[in-house]
Amino acid sequence: MKTYKIVEKRKIWFAISAVIILIGFVSMLTRGFNLGIDFTGGTLLELKFPKEITVEQVRDVLKGHGLENSIIQLANSAGQAATNDTALIRTQVLDEKLQKTVTDDFTAKMGNYEVLRIEKVGAVIGGELTRNALLAILVSWVLIIFYITWRFEFRFAISGIIALVQDVLVVMTVFSLFQIEIDSNFVAALLTIIGFSINDTIVIFDRIRENLRSFRRSDGIENMVNQSICQTMSRSIYTVLTVLFVTVSLYVFGGDTTRNFSLALLIGFSFGSFTSIFCCGSFWVELQKRKLAN
């Protein structure tokens, strides 16, 4: 099997990650995030139409006002599932002028309707729930450290967590840099990325551990890690391609409501494969060399 010099070029891989994350920190500090209505609250409109309507019709009207990411639920005023004539729309906070423009546009494109209610609503995810989401991510990292330390060793655990932190920060960088809206699904996407990335990393760590049994210092630790990575590379590539095929399909055909969620997965899965193949083993080599030097 051909072995590539991956670990020897680790400074390049580290630099790529560092540059992206540095750009992300600057963007987060200066531009912040485009928080969706789950975090900021919004306006709730309940409209009853004289005939059956579809989500596509409602979203088409909202799209003309930059509100295509609004949450839309259809219901039947008579309590029957056969015909949906009532739309429950949760969108960003609308001032009186924009609210009138949107409702007038509904009349022009979908005919007369009855306004059942229009009210402002609070955020679904308040400060406490946001803190709980961050706590869940931190707890997952701590548990991963304990698990990998128990199964392998502490330096493997630290290497894996550094890579996971990179994956999360890169996704946050892209969403901050391009001001892509963040909603409650974003937290779920981050946790999914963490689970996928650590699984790929553990496979590489397991092969390194196996090769350590026959390792001789004269062979060079970089060569051993390179060999371990190359032995699992085809498995890593096939796995990520399979996942990306599904995620791309979700992004293209899943509609507006799942587009940002699937985009976060696409970024996280792609960069997660990069960190698993090029960074995790390299981090471990750096830590191992420092141990031997001491």
Side-chain angles (χ1 to χ4, degrees):
M1 174 183 293
K2 185 176 181 180
T3 302
Y4 300 97
K5 292 185 177 181
I6 295 174
V7 177
E8 288 83 351
K9 299 177 181 179
R10 56 186 177 274
K11 290 184 179 179
I12 297 176
W13 318 134
F14 296 164
I16 292 173
S17 298
V19 168
I20 296 174
I21 292 172
L22 180 60
I23 293 172
F25 277 131
V26 173
S27 179
M28 292 176 211
L29 291 173
T30 58
R31 295 164 60 85
F33 294 99
N34 179 15
L35 300 178
I37 59 176
D38 287 342
F39 292 91
T40 61
T43 299
L44 184 68
L45 299 90
E46 188 171 4
L47 312 177
K48 182 180 180 300
F49 294 86
K51 59 182 179 180
E52 183 176 12
I53 59 174
T54 64
V55 172
E56 289 73 20
Q57 287 176 306
V58 177
R59 196 174 301 282
D60 182 60
V61 176
L62 296 173
K63 194 171 185 178
H65 306 278
L67 304 173
E68 61 271 16
N69 290 327
S70 302
I71 299 173
I72 303 170
Q73 294 175 294
L74 300 184
N76 181 266
S77 59
Q80 301 173 354
T83 303
N84 292 318
D85 59 4
T86 302
L88 188 66
I89 306 167
R90 186 187 175 103
T91 184
Q92 66 186 51
V93 177
L94 305 178
D95 56 33
E96 291 185 5
K97 182 179 179 180
L98 182 56
Q99 183 177 298
K100 185 178 186 307
T101 303
V102 171
T103 52
D104 288 346
D105 203 12
F106 272 112
T107 303
K109 294 183 178 179
M110 300 180 63
N112 295 325
Y113 58 88
E114 178 185 355
V115 178
L116 300 182
R117 60 172 165 158
I118 297 181
E119 58 187 41
K120 291 184 178 181
V121 294
V124 173
I125 301 181
E128 182 179 354
L129 291 180
T130 302
R131 288 192 295 272
N132 289 341
L134 295 174
L135 181 62
I137 294 175
L138 293 176
V139 168
S140 70
W141 286 344
V142 171
L143 293 176
I144 288 170
I145 289 175
F146 278 117
Y147 171 74
I148 298 179
T149 300
W150 169 72
R151 183 172 174 182
F152 299 95
E153 64 171 10
F154 184 66
R155 282 178 294 278
F156 279 120
I158 294 301
S159 302
I161 289 300
I162 292 174
L164 290 181
V165 172
Q166 285 183 330
D167 298 340
V168 170
L169 289 177
V170 166
V171 176
M172 295 175 66
T173 293
V174 174
F175 272 68
S176 173
L177 198 60
F178 295 98
Q179 288 295 288
I180 303 170
E181 186 177 281
I182 291 177
D183 56 19
S184 56
N185 291 329
F186 184 75
V187 178
L190 292 182
L191 292 172
T192 305
I193 292 164
I194 290 172
F196 173 83
S197 296
I198 198 61
N199 176 69
D200 207 21
T201 299
I202 285 176
V203 171
I204 296 175
F205 285 167
D206 191 56
R207 185 54 59 92
I208 293 175
R209 183 179 61 175
E210 289 180 6
N211 290 335
L212 272 172
R213 296 171 184 169
S214 58
F215 170 69
R216 294 176 298 180
R217 286 196 176 186
S218 59
D219 296 333
I221 192 171
E222 287 94 348
N223 290 332
M224 185 272 292
V225 174
N226 285 335
Q227 182 181 9
S228 302
I229 294 172
C230 291
Q231 287 172 348
T232 58
M233 187 176 294
S234 59
R235 183 263 183 201
S236 299
I237 293 174
Y238 293 152
T239 300
V240 72
L241 285 178
T242 302
V243 174
L244 287 179
F245 289 154
V246 177
T247 311
V248 169
S249 299
L250 179 63
Y251 179 80
V252 175
F253 303 109
D256 293 326
T257 54
T258 60
R259 185 152 294 152
N260 291 348
F261 171 76
S262 55
L263 177 61
L265 293 182
L266 279 172
I267 299 166
F269 290 160
S270 301
F271 198 81
S273 295
F274 168 78
T275 56
S276 294
I277 295 173
F278 296 98
C279 296
C280 288
S282 299
F283 286 137
W284 181 80
V285 168
E286 282 289 334
L287 295 175
Q288 195 73 2
K289 280 179 169 280
R290 290 174 184 239
K291 175 193 173 185
L292 296 175
N294 295 332

